[in-house]
Amino acid sequence: MRRQVAAAAAGPALDAVAVGVPGVVDPRTGDMLEASMLPGWRPGLLGDLRERLATSVVLENEVNLAALAEHREGAAAGRDDFIMLWLDDGAGSAIVLGGVPRQGASGGAGEIGFLGSPAGSICDLLTREEVARVDIDELARRAVQAAFPGVAVLDPGLVVLAGSTGRECGPELASRVAGGLAAPAPVPTEVRATEVEGDPVVKGAVATALTMARDALFGAP
């Protein structure tokens, strides 16, 4: 990251920078919670980045950024309420209500990886290694366990399966998860596989930075 910051600081003046991080961002401070900080990150580093780059810098959870991309151009386009289940190296989720990714009071909304089951934590059950050794029916059963709490509480109407596993298993996994949710869920819920081409986290970060630059120029709506 040091090289990227140096290159950005040496280039043309920046209007806004958005950074995706695999951790919890405190909405009160805009910085990562100390308990989830990445190796090499430290309290106050966000302020140093803003000073070094001489512009506005925001941090956002990477899954929330991917959900923003899904809402703008992917499987959730035209749907303002949905849950995105991120299935990659582990499991996470993003909650989008009214077209806005929700952070929660402390930034931890959607952190389903901490949920437990008799077989272990949801995060451990949906790692790439675990996914590789189970069949698609068992994978769907685990994905249902991850999605059900949000469906039962929020009634989003749509669950999007994203991340590398969601992309690779596509509509086949989505169909099985929809069937698995139909029995226990109190409300009908559609399940779709991701439709974002390229890196959804980068696309969500670009969209966020463009919105920041626009608001700075024209004022927030």
Side-chain angles (χ1 to χ4, degrees):
M1 184 175 184
R2 184 177 299 169
R3 290 194 301 272
Q4 288 88 339
V5 171
L14 300 171
D15 293 309
V17 174
V19 181
V21 293
V24 178
V25 177
D26 187 338
R28 296 162 297 191
T29 66
D31 207 343
M32 295 182 70
L33 291 179
E34 289 195 44
S36 69
M37 283 185 177
L38 301 169
W41 199 272
R42 55 174 172 75
L45 184 54
L46 176 59
D48 292 344
L49 281 175
R50 289 169 173 164
E51 182 177 354
R52 179 73 182 274
L53 296 174
T55 193
S56 297
V57 179
V58 297
L59 304 183
E60 180 57 278
N61 176 268
E62 60 182 358
V63 180
N64 284 350
L65 291 176
L68 181 60
E70 206 71 60
H71 179 245
R72 290 188 172 224
E73 60 179 77
R79 302 286 289 268
D80 282 347
D81 298 336
F82 68 96
I83 292 173
M84 192 188 75
L85 194 62
W86 183 258
L87 306 173
D88 209 278
D89 292 330
S93 72
I95 298 166
V96 177
L97 299 175
V100 179
R102 302 297 174 169
Q103 295 177 303
S106 302
E111 293 291 334
I112 60 167
F114 299 109
L115 294 176
S117 76
S121 73
I122 291 296
C123 190
D124 290 339
L125 292 175
L126 288 168
T127 62
R128 295 283 288 166
E129 292 78 10
E130 278 290 306
V131 167
R133 70 179 193 84
V134 299
D135 62 27
I136 195 165
D137 289 320
E138 174 61 18
L139 173 58
R141 188 186 69 80
R142 296 180 184 188
V144 167
Q145 288 182 328
F148 177 72
V151 168
V153 172
L154 298 172
D155 183 18
L158 173 65
V159 172
V160 176
L161 306 180
S164 57
T165 298
R167 180 179 300 282
E168 291 164 10
C169 296
E172 185 177 1
L173 177 61
S175 176
R176 283 171 165 77
V177 173
L181 283 172
V187 290
T189 305
E190 186 179 1
V191 182
R192 299 177 182 174
T194 178
E195 295 177 4
V196 175
E197 298 294 334
D199 190 323
V201 177
V202 171
K203 288 193 170 186
V206 169
T208 298
L210 287 173
T211 298
M212 292 165 59
R214 182 202 64 204
D215 290 349
L217 184 61
F218 300 108

